[in-house]
Amino acid sequence: MSIPVPTYRPRRLRKNATIRNLVKETYLSVDDLIYPLFIIEGTGIREEISSMPGVFRVSPDKLSAEIDELKELGINSVILFGIPAVKDSVGSAGYDDDGIVQQAIRVIKAHTPDLYVITDVCLCEYTDHGHCGIVLADGTVDNDSTLELLAREAVSHAKAGADMVAPSDMMDGRVAAIRYALDEAGFQTIPIMAYSAKYSSAYYGPFRDAADSAPSFGDRKTYQMDIANSEEALREVATDIDEGADIVMVKPGLAYLDVVRRVKDNFSYPVCVYNVSGEYSMVKAAALAGWVDEERLMMETMIAFKRAGADMIITYPAKDVARWI
Ligand code: PBG
Ligand code: ZN
């Protein structure tokens, strides 16, 4: 018996790093990274989030040191999340011109005007019930009355100096409502990054610890997407683009790479992927136990996002990734 000799030998192009680099298809740059920042009301606060080692809640007075570190690492964009001192049923702190995110934007812009500031636009960080919209007497989340508040929040962020707003609430019609309100207020040049395919996911657990925003009753399944669907993701993205979204997002990331690819292939729009809190905590926990190689695992994850078609990545390990690139 003679074993046939292979004609195509992929290993020819894997012989050493030089040839591997010549045929490499996917690259990651620090320009692709967006760093999430949790801003907490108060002074002198920089506290680690217990379920997210290495991620901190910081008060506005502690922000400049944080920003300096990011700039030194070459990270030029952040997305802000607010943790207000007081929450109420309608999330007033979210659209208060002196709210925590609005304060943070002003601090950042005074310190480092060229840092690109994106803001998360949602009510769940500011409502006492933890839902992303107005809750009616029967416990349902009301779509249309929420739109007005989201629009006010987005305009308030823009007035404070935000460069881009990112609605994460998943109400129907919110991109149109926000676009209309921004334009009316003279912010025609402020883009909208829509959390378009945002799933109702267990991967958000650590974030909800961080922002103290877990719903006090029920879940988010009446507004966030069913994890089983990807055709629906395309309809969500199409609708958001139609309503004026400039960038569309898929969230979470790793378990939804198929959705990232479908969105990239179906729309000629920039795609952001959100590498969410639970994805971070899983890697961190395993790394702290010594079970995985943290650097290799994190970098493999980043490349996977780019390979799937993401143009940009919101990610908690952004600072480490910037060092490792
Ligand atoms: C607010 C919001 C959430 C996240 C981003 N914006 C929480 C949620 O929808 O429950 C999750 C981010 C993460 O888990 O890292 N709606
Ligand atoms: Zn929310």
Side-chain angles (χ1 to χ4, degrees):
M1 185 192 90
S2 86
I3 296 168
V5 173
T7 47
Y8 174 49
R9 291 180 179 270
R11 290 186 56 196
R12 287 177 190 133
L13 302 182
R14 295 181 196 141
K15 205 173 213 163
N16 58 43
T18 304
I19 183 61
R20 287 196 297 272
N21 286 340
L22 281 172
V23 299
K24 196 183 289 294
E25 299 175 34
T26 308
Y27 285 91
L28 176 71
S29 153
V30 69
D31 293 333
D32 303 326
L33 306 176
I34 301 169
Y35 185 64
L37 273 173
F38 292 100
I39 321 290
I40 187 163
E41 210 146 341
T43 50
I45 305 171
R46 186 171 191 272
E47 58 191 17
E48 195 166 29
I49 297 151
S50 55
S51 53
M52 302 180 73
V55 179
F56 295 80
R57 297 187 195 89
V58 294
S59 52
D61 59 313
K62 293 273 183 180
L63 264 175
S64 37
E66 205 74 29
I67 301 308
D68 290 342
E69 190 189 1
L70 293 173
K71 290 297 286 183
E72 256 163 55
L73 290 165
I75 297 171
N76 293 312
S77 0
V78 293
I79 181 164
L80 305 185
F81 299 93
I83 305 156
V86 182
K87 305 194 185 208
D88 63 21
S89 65
V90 291
S92 323
Y95 38 90
D96 177 347
D97 286 344
D98 271 320
I100 183 61
V101 163
Q102 290 83 349
Q103 290 175 37
I105 299 166
R106 287 193 287 263
V107 169
I108 294 171
K109 287 296 175 183
H111 184 71
T112 312
D114 65 341
L115 187 78
Y116 198 85
V117 177
I118 306 166
T119 58
D120 184 82
V121 174
C122 199
L123 295 185
C124 58
E125 295 137 68
Y126 310 99
T127 52
D128 49 15
H129 47 69
H131 276 290
C132 301
I134 295 298
V135 174
L136 300 177
D138 65 359
T140 58
V141 173
D142 188 52
N143 196 86
D144 296 9
S145 59
T146 302
L147 297 182
E148 197 181 313
L149 302 182
L150 293 166
R152 273 173 69 182
E153 183 179 357
V155 170
S156 176
H157 290 172
K159 276 199 286 184
D163 294 293
M164 175 155 81
V165 294
S168 68
D169 53 285
M170 290 300 278
M171 298 300 123
D172 297 334
R174 88 267 210 221
V175 174
I178 290 171
R179 186 70 273 160
Y180 179 80
L182 286 174
D183 290 355
E184 281 285 288
F187 296 110
Q188 294 90 345
T189 61
I190 299 291
I192 299 175
M193 176 161 73
Y195 286 69
S196 301
K198 175 171 175 180
Y199 288 87
S200 179
S201 168
Y203 283 102
Y204 309 150
F207 174 97
R208 293 178 189 174
D209 293 343
D212 188 23
S213 64
S216 59
F217 66 90
D219 53 41
R220 301 210 204 290
K221 287 186 178 156
T222 68
Y223 40 105
Q224 297 182 345
M225 282 183 60
D226 188 325
I227 59 167
N229 299 350
S230 79
E231 288 286 313
E232 188 187 356
L234 302 184
R235 296 197 297 274
E236 282 280 6
V237 168
T239 306
D240 283 356
I241 288 173
D242 211 43
E243 291 182 19
D246 300 280
I247 299 175
V248 292
M249 193 197 296
V250 175
K251 176 187 173 203
L254 263 190
Y256 298 83
L257 291 181
D258 58 320
V259 181
V260 175
R261 173 46 64 193
R262 286 193 85 177
V263 169
K264 193 63 201 175
D265 286 346
N266 277 277
F267 302 92
S268 305
Y269 268 74
V271 176
C272 178
V273 68
Y274 197 141
N275 177 214
V276 301
S277 57
E279 300 175 67
Y280 175 82
S281 301
M282 289 194 306
V283 175
K284 226 40 198 182
L288 288 168
W291 297 335
V292 296
D293 180 328
E294 181 178 358
E295 176 177 343
R296 288 190 58 201
L297 201 47
M298 295 281 195
M299 293 307 274
E300 187 172 333
T301 303
M302 296 302 129
I303 291 292
F305 291 137
K306 296 291 308 273
R307 198 191 58 237
D311 297 288
M312 64 200 88
I313 308 165
I314 301 175
T315 186
Y316 298 97
K319 290 194 273 187
D320 284 332
V321 169
R323 286 184 199 103
W324 293 328
I325 281 173

